[in-house]
Amino acid sequence: MTLSASQTSLRVPFFDLDYDESEERAILEVLQSKWISMGPRTEEFEKRFAQALGAKHAVAVSNCTAALHLSMILIGVGPGDEVVVPSLTFVATAACVKMVGAKPVFADVSSLDDWRISPREIEDKITPRTKAIIPMHYGGEGADMKKIMEIAREKKLFVVEDACHAPLGEIEGGKLGTFGELGCFSFYSNKNLSTGEGGMLVTDSDEYAERARLLRAHGMTTSARQRHEGQEFYEVLEHGFNYRMDDLRSCLGLVQLEKLPERMKRRSEIASRYHKQLSNQKGLRLPENERKPSSVHHLFTVLLDEGIDRAGFRAHMRKLGVDTSMHYPPVHMFTGFNEQGVPLPVTEEVGKRSVSLPIFNQISNQQIDYVCDSVSKTLKELS
Ligand SMILES: *Cc1c(COP(=O)(O)O)cnc(C)c1O
């Protein structure tokens, strides 16, 4: 007797790491070299990442939150300043503004079909105290950078891109992360390019790159590696942080970066397969984000119809063996931000009704079909 996919209890995790012998070999080489902290692999990773994006500089840091924090310092955001940010994002997009004593001002996303920060909302939120905008490329689709850059130029604002979802993603006019003064990337485990923890700051400015390199390592003028190679002892030019990346992670980044273009094709197939099966499914709608061929599909997110119990949906999916997630609980609603009074109706609606389905490079077509089948069963069960 053969069981159909829906009868077997397939388990589909929300994410699975795409590592193979290449990553293992790279790690072993670094271990054997006995240089495990920031050194030649990190330099190589920075060089390749900058090349891949067509950016002048890439500065590797310990995570994207560090990249965002450094960006705020580099463009001179401080107490009394405001920075316009989305609320439908990971908390770090807004937290970095607070880290330098400034105020994040939340802007809504465009519509229930377009979950990217709305340029019109950005314009509405600009005041004489506004210093910068941080667009985030939700799910891997580029924010409307043409309009956002126009607004920024007109109002003389800086733009820092939170490009965590979109390494190698592009829109008309260039690679995501290279439109603003600075672009920030994360290599956290479940991102499209994984090193466990890790991040990158990308810029065309020599001045920002040079100061970012100082600030990520305590403001010191020479690195441990340079001193190891005989350069003189360091001077400290300004107080900084320890936001360094290390070679153990950078070697993983190099392997993952090389794999990425191929993996992006698979993600695109996964998204189309989901799309085909779910676009006529009653009880949910698909935001436009996933249809865009330019998206690098970090997420595959659906919007449940009004009145469907999301917690019940997720619990039933889990019972069928399918893990789901939510992107995102709106940042302005968190106790630590205390901006619940700010009306962001679309963000709040998406925050209540969205569910993210499993998407990762090695998910099989059978698993995708099983997820869709489970969605259908679950919605029937709940109606
Ligand atoms: C993952 C993520 C971050 C934070 O990245 P870390 O490397 O974990 O600091 C910030 N913004 C967005 C949109 C993210 O997805």
Side-chain angles (χ1 to χ4, degrees), residues 57-173:
H57 304 282
V59 180
V61 288
S62 44
N63 53 64
C64 179
T65 309
L68 287 164
H69 183 201
L70 291 181
S71 295
M72 293 298 104
I73 296 170
L74 293 171
I75 61 174
V77 175
D81 293 333
E82 293 176 358
V83 177
V84 180
V85 298
S87 175
L88 192 70
T89 184
F90 183 63
V91 59
T93 317
C96 67
V97 179
K98 292 221 180 209
M99 287 179 190
V100 292
K103 180 177 161 53
V105 174
F106 294 99
D108 211 344
V109 294
S110 290
S111 73
L112 289 182
D113 281 321
D114 180 356
W115 301 2
R116 303 170 304 155
I117 191 167
S118 150
R120 190 182 312 152
E121 267 279 307
I122 292 176
E123 280 183 304
D124 283 352
K125 300 288 166 113
I126 291 172
T127 75
R129 289 179 297 279
T130 309
K131 188 120 189 195
I133 308 165
I134 312 182
M136 194 278 273
H137 305 303
Y138 185 97
E141 187 202 356
D144 190 345
M145 292 313 295
K146 190 161 166 256
K147 283 219 187 85
I148 292 171
M149 294 312 294
E150 271 169 25
I151 297 168
R153 266 190 284 271
E154 191 195 314
K155 309 275 185 184
K156 300 199 165 33
L157 305 174
F158 293 98
V159 173
V160 173
E161 293 171 71
D162 180 336
C164 285
H165 293 186
L168 299 195
E170 51 183 68
I171 47 174
E172 209 181 318

Side-chain angles (χ1 to χ4, degrees), residues 11 312-324 378:
R11 196 175 115 62
F313 177 89
R314 295 189 62 220
H316 194 268
M317 289 291 283
R318 202 178 165 87
K319 226 162 52 192
L320 296 175
V322 179
D323 286 347
T324 60
T378 301

Side-chain angles (χ1 to χ4, degrees), residues 173-223:
K175 289 274 194 298
L176 299 174
T178 65
F179 288 86
E181 278 71 30
L182 294 143
C184 302
F185 293 85
S186 170
F187 309 131
Y188 182 69
S189 308
N190 65 4
K191 298 289 161 52
N192 288 19
L193 189 166
S194 321
T195 65
E197 298 279 1
M200 196 71 86
L201 188 60
V202 166
T203 183
D204 280 339
S205 151
D206 299 341
E207 202 180 308
Y208 288 155
E210 192 181 338
R211 191 159 169 232
R213 286 180 200 287
L214 277 180
L215 289 172
R216 82 171 156 188
H218 310 281
M220 301 189 312
T221 50
T222 58
S223 70

Side-chain angles (χ1 to χ4, degrees), residues 88 158 195 211 235 281 285 295 308 370 377:
L88 192 70
F158 293 98
T195 65
R211 191 159 169 232
E235 153 74 321
Q281 173 65 50
R285 67 202 265 179
S295 175
I308 292 178
Y370 182 74
K377 278 200 183 120

